[in-house]
């Protein structure tokens, strides 16, 4: 069933668990995410980034995910990830996304609040929930996200931001990175505590790939309800493809077989995260 992401996260907040938001790029990644969610009996968020709009037909993809969701035995939501342009957000709303993220983290606080409030008003009129970000998640290895400066979220600014904009969930920067870490992870859990004390809405963690399991569990215990996963899933797929072509250099492997096997290669990674995020359920 297709549901609003806000409802999904409020349930997670009450149950003290988090929902995985898997970044997808094609049919196979979407199918893998829904299949794993059904096997684990846990909700899932299908997230498509604005940066993929040039290679993915958004309207067609939304229709595809809606059908997958309608057939699914667990709640599924469709989320627009890291959108910077208002027109992209309007396009996603029109074709059925149940939540959108406006990323105004490159602006100062006042401008970020002004733009986010405008987006929130538009989305809420359509019954669509909104994620926003203050602070900036740095870019690690193997990531194709925008470069962030790693600025951590200021708790008082987060409180003001939520009050002024009316957003439904907030991405907090506490030291994780987009992609894989190039050194030891330095996650500021005390900062997360401070943000949680001042902000009542569900909190989001970007940058789960490579983050130690124990740290992820602690972030959930401290109020994280949505965790974005991208790079580890991507690496599982590309590693499979590389090995497949190396082993079959002299064979004409059919594309349908390769894509089906690639989907299977992603599923164990997704399963690991779904189980990890649900393990903290009270």
């Amino acid at each position: 069933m297709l549901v609003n992401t806000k409802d999904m996260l409020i349930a997670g907040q009450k149950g003290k668990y988090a929902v995985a938001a898997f970044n997808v790029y094609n049919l196979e990644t979407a199918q893998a995410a829904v299949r794993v969610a059904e096997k684990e009996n846990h909700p899932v968020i299908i997230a498509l980034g604005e940066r993929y709009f040039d290679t993915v037909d958004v309207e067609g993809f939304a229709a595809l995910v809606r059908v997958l969701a309608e057939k699914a035995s667990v709640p599924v939501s469709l989320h627009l990830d890291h959108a910077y342009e208002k027109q992209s957000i309007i396009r996603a709303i029109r074709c059925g996304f149940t939540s959108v993220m406006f990323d105004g983290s490159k602006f100062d606080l006042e401008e970020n609040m002004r733009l986010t409030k405008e987006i929130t008003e538009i989305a809420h009129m359509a019954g669509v929930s909104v994620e926003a970000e203050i602070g900036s998640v740095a870019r690690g290895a193997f990531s194709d996200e925008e470069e962030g400066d790693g600025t951590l979220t200021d708790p008082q600014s987060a409180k003001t931001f939520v009050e002024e904009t009316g957003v439904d969930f907030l991405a907090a920067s506490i030291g994780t990175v987009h992609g894989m870490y190039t050194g030891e992870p330095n996650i500021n859990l005390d900062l997360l505590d401070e943000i949680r004390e001042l902000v009542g809405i569900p909190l989001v963690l970007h940058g789960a790939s490579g983050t130690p399991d124990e740290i992820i569990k602690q972030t959930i215990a401290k109020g994280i309800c949505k965790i974005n996963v991208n790079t580890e899933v991507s690496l599982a797929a590309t590693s499979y493809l590389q090995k497949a072509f190396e082993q079959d250099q002299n064979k004409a492997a059919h594309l349908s077989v390769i894509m089906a096997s690639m989907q299977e290669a992603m599923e164990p990674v997704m399963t690991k995260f779904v189980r990890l995020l649900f393990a903290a359920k009270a």
Side-chain angles (χ1 to χ4, degrees):
M1 64 204 83
L2 185 68
V3 303
N4 191 300
T5 309
K6 177 182 178 180
D7 296 337
M8 190 182 285
L9 299 190
I10 287 179
Q13 191 174 39
K14 291 178 180 178
K16 299 188 181 303
Y17 62 86
V19 182
F22 291 115
N23 283 91
V24 298
Y25 336 97
N26 57 11
L27 171 64
E28 287 76 21
T29 44
Q31 287 184 157
V34 173
R35 182 175 176 182
V36 165
E38 289 192 297
K39 284 183 177 180
E40 299 301 318
N41 194 31
H42 195 43
V44 69
I45 300 165
I46 305 298
L48 179 69
E50 180 191 67
R51 67 187 303 104
Y52 303 119
F53 277 23
D54 289 340
T55 55
V56 177
D57 182 289
V58 179
E59 289 75 18
F61 189 80
L64 181 153
V65 173
R66 289 200 305 272
V67 171
L68 292 177
E70 288 167 4
K71 294 170 62 179
S73 58
V74 296
V76 177
S77 72
L78 178 57
H79 177 70
L80 175 63
D81 192 31
H82 285 289
Y84 306 93
E85 302 295 332
K86 180 168 70 173
Q87 195 55 44
S88 297
I89 290 172
I90 292 172
R91 184 179 177 188
I93 291 171
R94 284 175 173 167
C95 63
F97 281 64
T98 61
S99 62
V100 295
M101 178 192 182
F102 173 67
D103 186 348
S105 59
K106 66 180 180 181
F107 300 107
D108 62 35
L109 181 62
E110 290 298 323
E111 183 66 358
N112 192 358
M113 285 195 296
R114 184 187 72 80
L115 293 170
T116 302
K117 184 177 181 180
E118 179 184 357
I119 293 298
T120 301
E121 290 173 350
I122 293 171
H124 283 180
M125 284 191 291
V128 172
S129 53
V130 178
E131 175 182 343
E133 179 176 343
I134 57 173
S136 179
V137 177
R139 182 178 177 181
F142 305 107
S143 173
D144 65 349
E145 296 290 353
E146 297 284 345
E147 188 71 53
D149 61 15
T151 300
L152 300 183
T153 300
D154 173 68
Q156 191 60 52
S157 296
K159 179 178 185 293
T160 302
F161 185 93
V162 170
E163 292 172 347
E164 292 293 323
T165 63
V167 294
D168 301 291
F169 32 104
L170 183 71
S173 175
I174 59 171
T176 54
V177 302
H178 284 130
M180 304 299 288
Y181 297 91
T182 55
E184 287 296 318
N186 183 20
I187 316 300
N188 193 333
L189 294 173
D190 290 336
L191 175 60
L192 180 56
D193 280 331
E194 294 177 35
I195 297 169
R196 175 75 286 163
E197 288 180 6
L198 296 176
V199 176
I201 63 174
L203 297 176
V204 178
L205 184 72
H206 287 237
S209 295
T211 301
D213 291 359
E214 187 55 40
I215 294 295
I216 289 179
K217 289 179 182 178
Q218 290 183 59
T219 66
I220 297 169
K222 294 175 182 291
I224 293 293
C225 303
K226 170 178 176 280
I227 296 183
N228 288 29
V229 184
N230 187 342
T231 305
E232 279 197 42
V233 176
S234 171
L235 288 174
T238 55
S239 294
Y240 161 75
L241 291 174
Q242 183 177 8
K243 291 177 182 177
F245 287 121
E246 287 174 351
Q247 293 170 358
D248 296 334
Q249 289 184 44
N250 299 318
K251 300 177 183 178
H254 198 279
L255 180 61
S256 63
V257 176
I258 293 174
M259 290 296 97
S261 298
M262 183 189 73
Q263 178 177 321
E264 291 177 358
M266 292 185 284
E267 289 177 11
V269 177
M270 292 179 171
T271 299
K272 178 196 78 169
F273 278 104
V274 169
R275 289 178 178 175
L276 178 63
L277 273 52
F278 201 50
K281 185 176 180 181

